[in-house]
Amino acid sequence: MSRLIVVSNRVTPPAPEGASSQGGLAMAISAALREYSGIWFGWSGQSTPQYNGQISVQRASGVTIATMDLEEQDIQEYYNGFANRTLWPLFHYRIDLTQYERSYGSGYARVNARFAEMLMPLIAPKDLIWVQDYHLIPLGRELRERGAKNAIGFFLHIPWPARELVATLPRHRQLVEAMFHYDVVGFHTEEWRDAFVSYVLHEAGGMQLSDGSLRAFGRTTRPQAFPIGIDAKGFSALTQSEAGMESYARMQESKAGRKMLLGVDRLDYSKGIEERFLAFERLLAESEELKRKIFLLQISTPTRGEVDAYQDMLARLDALSGRINGVTAEMDWIPIRSIHRIHTREELAGVYRAAEVALVTPLRDGMNLVAKEFVAAQDEEDPGVLVLSRFAGAAQQMKEALIVNPFSVEDVADAIRKALAMPLEERRSRWRALWDGVERDDIFAWRDSFVASLEAARDRTAKPRPGRIAGPRREG
Ligand code: ADQ
């Protein structure tokens, strides 16, 4: 088995299963590397007064992790700047929040070059290299320029947007050209992959070859969809852990016979939390009979606090839940419980299991793992109902959920009413179909299919066999 080197912006040392509170990407990588001999390389999350080219290496839970510190200016321009003020909002269709600063672009290029400089000495000739996410798009090119001949793959955890949006980015061609230094470029869904293909064919004058790969900028890459999953069985088992059962029992008690709607998100404008609150308000206004019988528990962890759009959102969200509660609450009933805290995986599993309805209503989301965690945590005899945004990548797979348009408060309110009234038999059959998918397309299937694709790319490079040029593909 080849050694796998995973590179991501942040490296979060893996904690023993069940004890961690890592975010979606970090969860996915530590689960993927646990069974692979390999290295996880990235930023430590710490700043250093001056870039010193030093790497710190440690082993944690069977994974070797190698990290570097970044200078404050790097953090501002690369991480808070180009990654989170430019690419993140743009790729989530928030052009109104997208900031196009030249200094962000230079910081992004500089940090990607530093990543390559630090990583090169760790790479052995047969290693497979797997670069994660939008922070590191140019890393493949930087590695190639320094002589890396390995199979290198890239996976984008966020959506790839319509080409008209990409074209608003200064030097967008250069960014896309960088994708062509990877042998494989992975997306969560066929929709995101097709949007990338569309850019290449129509903006970059590229060609699609008969084997599905793309040729442009004098290079070839293979775009593919690899829907990410969770450690489904592992997550399901957390509901039976001591802490999981305790959190379930605590929630059941605090529900006091009421039905619970649940939202769990990183606090981010892409997650549609404000729109969800407004839909809930609409539901209560239209369905008087539901008052006092239901409540919404929203658990949102603040992130990216240095970026103003996130501070603004936190303030708006608190004001909104305060207003709705102020107008609607009664002495012994509060409609929205909104908390900003990180919970352990076990606690979350117990809370998911106690919920009658999960509201996963992002305005745009690469995949959304919360939808899958909710399904994995249910009691098969009496499962809850998943309300899922059509704009989450997960909606492509989880068709038995109640699929909604999160921009329409009426649509979401209708779906909540339907979920609350759904007969047990229908809940069971929908849940069964969802669980079958979550269990089959789990995190290990995701890892294995990406690595297999990277291995195939390595084998093709060893014996080059050019594909036939098929000409630009027609858009359907
Ligand atoms: P995220 O935007 O972070 O991930 P998501 O996929 O929903 O979104 O993952 C969030 C993770 O954080 C889940 O595992 C959840 O349990 C955890 N989490 C959220 N709130 C928490 C809390 N209060 N306490 C503890 N844990 C909490 C990005 C993309 C997604 C994509 C993933 C993986 O934006 O679209 O699904 O990467 O590729």
Side-chain angles (χ1 to χ4, degrees), residues 22-25 27 88 157-158 188 228 264-266 271 299 301 341-343 345 348 352 365-370 373:
Q22 295 168 311
L25 172 55
M27 274 298 300
W88 177 275
H157 288 262
I158 63 176
H188 283 308
I228 202 168
V264 174
D265 307 83
R266 248 185 345 90
K271 302 291 180 185
I299 303 179
T301 336
R341 259 226 348 244
I342 294 188
H343 293 269
R345 313 293 304 157
L348 270 190
Y352 284 133
D365 213 334
M367 172 57 73
N368 195 296
L369 297 177
V370 168
E373 291 168 356

Side-chain angles (χ1 to χ4, degrees), residues 40 56 61 92 101 148 158 178 203 212 222 229 234 255 278 305 342 348 357 375 394 401-402:
W40 184 2
S56 116
S61 300
H92 288 87
E101 296 278 335
I158 63 176
E203 278 284 339
R222 181 178 292 253
K255 279 163 70 182
L278 292 171
I342 294 188
L348 270 190
V357 181
V375 168
L402 296 183

Side-chain angles (χ1 to χ4, degrees), residues 34-342:
R34 221 178 288 273
E35 286 177 32
Y36 242 95
S37 70
I39 301 177
W40 184 2
F41 175 80
W43 173 36
S44 61
Q46 305 297 317
S47 68
T48 175
Q50 202 172 6
Y51 172 66
N52 53 17
Q54 277 176 10
I55 295 185
S56 116
V57 180
Q58 51 173 301
R59 264 188 88 71
S61 300
V63 178
T64 300
I65 58 177
T67 55
M68 60 188 269
D69 299 341
L70 291 178
E71 284 175 25
E72 195 50 42
Q73 188 184 352
D74 290 345
I75 300 170
Q76 290 312 331
E77 294 175 353
Y78 147 82
Y79 180 67
N80 290 323
F82 200 75
N84 287 332
R85 287 197 177 97
T86 308
L87 289 182
W88 177 275
L90 183 63
F91 280 36
H92 288 87
Y93 285 68
R94 291 301 302 268
I95 196 164
D96 56 318
L97 296 177
T98 305
Q99 296 179 24
Y100 306 89
E101 296 278 335
R102 207 167 277 168
S103 63
Y104 295 170
S106 0
Y108 186 66
R110 184 177 64 246
V111 170
N112 270 273
R114 286 182 174 171
F115 262 68
E117 213 167 277
M118 304 284 269
L119 184 57
M120 275 310 283
L122 302 180
I123 300 174
K126 291 199 173 142
D127 289 345
L128 300 172
I129 303 170
W130 187 4
V131 177
Q132 309 287 330
D133 229 0
Y134 61 102
H135 315 82
L136 299 174
I137 293 174
L139 182 60
R141 180 174 57 207
E142 295 293 334
L143 291 170
R144 297 276 182 232
E145 281 170 4
R146 287 166 178 75
K149 302 262 182 300
N150 307 59
I152 313 181
F154 174 80
F155 187 82
L156 185 69
H157 288 262
I158 63 176
W160 184 274
R163 65 178 193 272
E164 291 80 359
L165 285 161
V166 181
T168 67
L169 207 57
R171 298 154 76 85
H172 52 96
R173 280 176 69 91
Q174 201 186 40
L175 190 79
V176 177
E177 188 265 339
M179 305 273 279
F180 279 76
H181 291 260
Y182 295 105
D183 298 283
V184 180
V185 288
F187 305 88
H188 283 308
T189 67
E190 284 164 10
E191 190 182 337
W192 313 144
R193 182 203 58 196
D194 290 350
F196 176 73
V197 171
S198 167
Y199 176 98
V200 171
L201 301 185
H202 300 282
E203 278 284 339
M207 300 279 197
Q208 189 148 39
L209 308 185
S210 56
D211 62 359
S213 54
L214 285 171
R215 186 143 186 91
F217 310 102
R219 308 186 68 92
T220 307
T221 190
R222 181 178 292 253
Q224 274 182 270
F226 302 94
I228 202 168
I230 59 166
D231 175 3
K233 289 200 186 75
F235 198 85
S236 173
L238 293 184
T239 61
Q240 302 309 309
S241 65
E242 204 181 312
M245 289 197 292
E246 196 186 305
S247 116
Y248 173 79
R250 205 170 136 196
M251 273 328 302
Q252 288 296 47
E253 197 187 330
S254 104
K255 279 163 70 182
R258 297 185 168 113
K259 289 191 173 171
M260 175 165 78
L261 316 178
L262 176 66
V264 174
D265 307 83
R266 248 185 345 90
L267 193 57
D268 194 291
Y269 46 81
S270 65
K271 302 291 180 185
I273 307 171
E274 288 172 83
E275 291 75 4
R276 186 180 307 162
F277 282 6
L278 292 171
F280 183 61
E281 181 183 36
R282 173 67 69 101
L283 173 79
L284 293 175
E286 286 175 354
S287 299
E288 279 283 323
E289 73 286 0
L290 289 176
K291 279 190 177 164
R292 304 176 56 84
K293 297 206 177 99
I294 60 173
F295 69 95
L296 167 61
L297 173 63
Q298 175 62 45
I299 303 179
S300 11
T301 336
T303 49
R304 305 177 192 169
E306 289 187 40
V307 180
D308 1 316
Y310 289 79
Q311 294 163 11
D312 295 350
M313 192 200 154
L314 183 57
R316 275 201 316 276
L317 199 65
D318 285 345
L320 183 59
S321 60
R323 180 182 66 70
I324 296 172
N325 281 341
V327 173
T328 327
E330 294 177 16
M331 278 194 316
D332 57 350
W333 171 65
I334 294 181
I336 300 180
R337 300 184 195 174
S338 176
I339 47 183
H340 308 306
R341 259 226 348 244
I342 294 188

